Amino acid sequence: MNDKMIRKYLTEYLIHKYQGEILTRIINEFSIAYGDSRIDIAVINGKLVGYEIKSDEDNLLRLPNQIKFYNEVFDEIWIVTQLKHLKSINVE
């Protein structure tokens, strides 16, 4: 499954999860750190939750730096990935 497919299913899930919550916003490609970084999907609804997608086609070289930026901005961060990367992701 590639990034586009994961994003489609994740977006559908989030729309369903927050359906009816008029103060919730789901934003694709949410820029942070003056544009130095961006997260794939952000949900804003009283707190800021970020979703970073890492498909099998991605590498994880940028992830440590991305997480550093994400931790400065988001209340909660989710890494959405596939089995290939599951053991390699360290978010501490």
Side-chain angles (χ1 to χ4, degrees), residues 13-67:
Y13 165 78
L14 293 171
I15 288 169
H16 177 72
K17 179 178 180 178
Y18 294 106
Q19 135 184 14
E21 294 186 24
I22 61 171
L23 297 179
T24 297
R25 296 291 176 260
I26 300 169
I27 302 170
N28 278 288
E29 299 296 329
F30 187 77
S31 291
I32 60 171
Y34 303 104
D36 288 340
S37 188
R38 71 175 173 265
I39 198 152
D40 291 309
I41 299 174
V43 175
I44 304 169
N45 64 351
K47 66 180 184 176
L48 191 54
V49 180
Y51 295 85
E52 178 63 26
I53 298 168
K54 295 296 183 191
S55 74
D56 282 350
E57 297 171 347
D58 291 317
N59 66 55
L60 303 179
L61 297 176
R62 295 181 317 140
L63 188 60
N65 199 44
Q66 289 173 306
I67 289 173

Side-chain angles (χ1 to χ4, degrees), residues 73-87:
V73 174
F74 293 95
D75 298 305
E76 199 173 301
I77 303 163
W78 292 87
I79 308 297
V80 181
T81 190
Q82 295 176 274
L83 290 175
K84 174 183 175 182
H85 295 309
L86 196 57
K87 290 183 181 180

